[in-house]
Amino acid sequence: MDKGHEIMVNSIVNPNADPSDLFSYRPYHQYLVFSQYLNETGFYEDHDKDTIQNMENILMQVTEALDSLGHYHVNGRMGSGGRGGGELMLSSAEAQLEFASSVSALHVFSDKFLTDNSKVKEGFDQLIDQYTTHNKDAVTNHRSVHEKFFEARAKMTNLPPVSLDAEQRKNLTITNKLGVTEYTSEEIMDMVDKYTKQFNELKDASEVDLLMFQLQEQLVNYVTKGFSSKDSNLQTAKDSIKEQTNKTISHISDYWKILLSS
């Protein structure tokens, strides 16, 4: 791991990096920490170009969603990096799901590609632990710009009357309800742990679609916990959240299928 620190110090891209945290040197391209480690340990020397490219692509896809947490403009849209310009910033619930998925996928990557080299695998697994620590607080405290807006608006009183049509009133009621729904740190990590256990049970690419369907249902129920089962807007809220999370579900599904098929 001393070699890993040398690699990062010699290629600083973040002037505020923490020397005790390798991933703070590459906050928006975290896969490069893993990639540079595999390169500097000589692991890649025993593999052909296509195999190396495949590994690099997997690492990039597995980590890019968490990179995206810092890539957005004030209007809530990502700038560069992450899942690409123009994508909406991850919601807090999406970030939590991506975090659980990413850490689990990195462990599968390690078991799949590094088992024959115990020394390299040991160092890589230590990097996964650092990656987990680096991203845990960011994910736990993350709120998208839209979520922050809904939270602030829901707390405002004595607003001047505004003429709204039926659809606008429904949307306002739903987003205000979402805005006042609170989650403790323990509750958030319990959900992450639940996701993680389910990802850890994945053994084959053919199982991915069913799991992602189940996880999306769990996420939707988690986000709408503040709604009564008798709330007339509950199903509309669930449908809206499901639509908003479809790209995240697709992103996770895609890299798990690649990882389990490689």
Side-chain angles (χ1 to χ4, degrees):
M1 297 305 293
D2 289 340
K3 184 64 176 177
H5 277 85
E6 181 183 338
I7 296 168
M8 291 299 104
V9 170
N10 289 335
S11 58
I12 293 177
V13 295
N14 178 11
N16 299 315
D18 177 359
S20 67
D21 178 7
L22 293 182
F23 291 93
S24 68
Y25 288 93
R26 297 286 190 178
Y28 308 134
H29 300 91
Q30 295 181 78
Y31 85 96
L32 289 176
V33 179
F34 294 108
S35 175
Q36 288 182 258
Y37 170 76
L38 294 176
N39 183 54
E40 293 296 322
T41 57
F43 177 79
Y44 279 157
E45 294 176 4
D46 298 326
H47 297 83
D48 60 54
K49 182 178 179 180
D50 289 342
T51 301
I52 294 172
Q53 186 64 54
N54 180 51
M55 292 182 186
E56 293 272 289
N57 287 338
I58 291 173
L59 289 172
M60 182 168 60
Q61 291 180 60
V62 166
T63 59
E64 66 179 350
L66 298 187
D67 294 341
S68 76
L69 297 187
H71 269 287
Y72 63 96
H73 298 302
V74 293
N75 65 354
R77 301 189 74 84
M78 289 165 51
S80 59
R83 288 186 297 169
E87 292 295 336
L88 286 174
M89 186 183 184
L90 292 176
S91 69
S92 56
E94 288 176 294
Q96 293 154 26
L97 179 60
E98 286 275 13
F99 176 59
S101 176
S102 181
V103 173
S104 297
L106 286 169
H107 280 293
V108 171
F109 179 98
S110 177
D111 292 341
K112 190 178 188 71
F113 295 113
L114 309 180
T115 299
D116 293 338
N117 192 322
S118 59
K119 186 176 181 179
V120 172
K121 187 179 190 310
E122 180 181 1
F124 191 91
D125 290 345
Q126 290 176 15
L127 282 180
I128 297 175
D129 291 340
Q130 289 192 32
Y131 174 84
T132 303
T133 300
H134 173 81
N135 287 286
K136 181 177 179 180
D137 286 344
V139 168
T140 302
N141 297 312
H142 172 68
R143 294 290 183 276
S144 71
V145 171
H146 286 157
E147 287 176 302
K148 290 178 180 179
F149 172 74
F150 295 150
E151 289 171 8
R153 188 184 61 189
K155 296 175 182 177
M156 297 177 69
T157 58
N158 300 320
L159 292 174
V162 178
S163 178
L164 302 175
D165 61 31
E167 190 65 26
Q168 290 171 326
R169 285 197 299 272
K170 176 182 287 190
N171 182 64
L172 180 62
T173 299
I174 289 172
T175 53
N176 278 346
K177 178 75 73 173
L178 295 174
V180 298
T181 303
E182 297 181 350
Y183 302 85
T184 65
S185 296
E186 292 75 16
E187 190 175 8
I188 291 170
M189 292 317 300
D190 283 347
M191 198 66 188
V192 170
D193 289 343
K194 182 178 180 180
Y195 292 147
T196 299
K197 290 177 182 177
Q198 291 170 278
F199 280 119
N200 289 344
E201 294 175 357
L202 271 178
K203 303 301 179 185
D204 188 85
S206 64
E207 303 170 355
V208 173
D209 285 340
L210 176 58
L211 176 61
M212 295 314 304
F213 172 81
Q214 295 170 338
L215 292 175
Q216 188 174 31
E217 290 295 308
Q218 292 169 28
L219 183 153
V220 168
N221 289 333
Y222 170 75
V223 175
T224 57
K225 73 163 191 170
F227 288 74
S228 163
S229 60
K230 298 180 180 179
D231 193 316
S232 61
N233 292 321
L234 176 58
Q235 191 57 51
T236 301
K238 286 187 172 184
D239 291 343
S240 176
I241 293 164
K242 184 173 182 179
E243 181 178 358
Q244 292 168 18
T245 58
N246 278 338
K247 288 186 178 180
T248 288
I249 295 298
S250 178
H251 171 250
I252 295 173
S253 176
D254 286 347
Y255 71 67
W256 271 102
K257 288 178 181 178
I258 293 171
L259 179 59
L260 294 175
S261 299
S262 299

